[in-house]
Amino acid sequence: KKGFEWYATYEEIEYLLKKSIKNESANILIPGCGNSHLSEKLHLNMNLNNILSIDFEENVVNKMNQKGFPIQFKVGDMLDMKDVESNSMDFVIDKGSFDALCSENTEETHAKVVKYLREIQRVLKEKGGTYIIVSLLQDFVFQSLIDFF
């Protein structure tokens, strides 16, 4: 079945991904994966096997697991990724999740953004860990990133 692709298909960002991810044994986290084909295309087109994709929708995660790919799809909260070890991920690929989090320019949203980005920092390897974000980068979304980093 057709997955929903926020902002870009794998093919549209493939060049960037292949330029960035050179090690087939890299540990990759995809927060808020939904039913996107990104995880499976990373496996099929780049021979990546250490992929953890999380989403809060159990129904979606169950359907993704039924596809039979050697990818871990787990139910989880990207604001509290307690099942992901600190300093364990080489790459976090965020394709629309940050923007979904930044749906409004409010204090509550800002607090969620800080919590999310702290989780990203926590799970990324201290040396060489890379956060790849695909975003529409509205002004307040951009400002949230600038304020944090």
Side-chain angles (χ1 to χ4, degrees):
K1 291 184 177 179
K2 189 170 174 119
F4 185 78
E5 302 299 335
W6 285 96
Y7 304 150
T9 63
Y10 167 83
E11 290 76 15
E12 291 170 315
I13 59 174
E14 180 179 35
Y15 175 78
L16 166 70
L17 296 171
K18 285 185 172 181
K19 202 113 170 93
S20 301
I21 306 169
K22 304 214 185 253
N23 183 351
E24 289 181 356
S25 64
N27 292 319
I28 298 167
L29 171 66
I30 302 176
C33 63
N35 67 349
S36 167
H37 294 293
L38 178 61
S39 300
E40 60 197 69
K41 288 192 176 186
L42 286 168
H43 167 69
L44 293 171
N45 297 347
M46 294 178 62
N47 201 31
L48 300 171
N49 292 307
N50 300 323
I51 302 169
L52 171 59
S53 297
I54 63 169
D55 200 278
F56 67 93
E57 287 288 339
E58 186 175 358
N59 190 29
V60 170
V61 170
N62 289 339
K63 286 180 182 175
M64 296 305 280
N65 275 320
Q66 290 172 2
K67 291 184 173 189
F69 289 101
I71 298 165
Q72 293 182 65
F73 289 98
K74 291 188 175 182
V75 176
D77 180 355
M78 65 186 198
L79 301 182
D80 183 18
M81 296 183 274
K82 57 185 172 245
D83 293 334
V84 182
E85 287 184 40
S86 297
N87 197 33
S88 64
M89 294 293 158
D90 296 294
F91 294 90
V92 173
I93 304 173
D94 177 332
K95 195 166 72 73
S97 295
F98 188 77
D99 282 23
L101 192 62
C102 291
S103 59
E104 301 175 305
N105 190 7
T106 64
E107 286 299 315
E108 182 182 349
T109 296
H110 180 71
K112 288 179 181 178
V113 163
V114 168
K115 193 170 184 179
Y116 174 64
L117 292 174
R118 283 188 180 143
E119 278 294 273
I120 297 300
Q121 279 185 324
R122 181 185 68 77
V123 302
L124 276 173
K125 289 184 178 177
E126 290 179 22
K127 294 194 180 196
T130 303
Y131 178 44
I132 298 173
I133 181 170
V134 178
S135 170
L136 291 180
L137 216 55
Q138 297 156 296
D139 290 342
F140 71 92
V141 173
F142 179 69
Q143 194 59 52
S144 295
L145 287 168
I146 295 299
D147 290 346
F148 185 82
F149 293 108

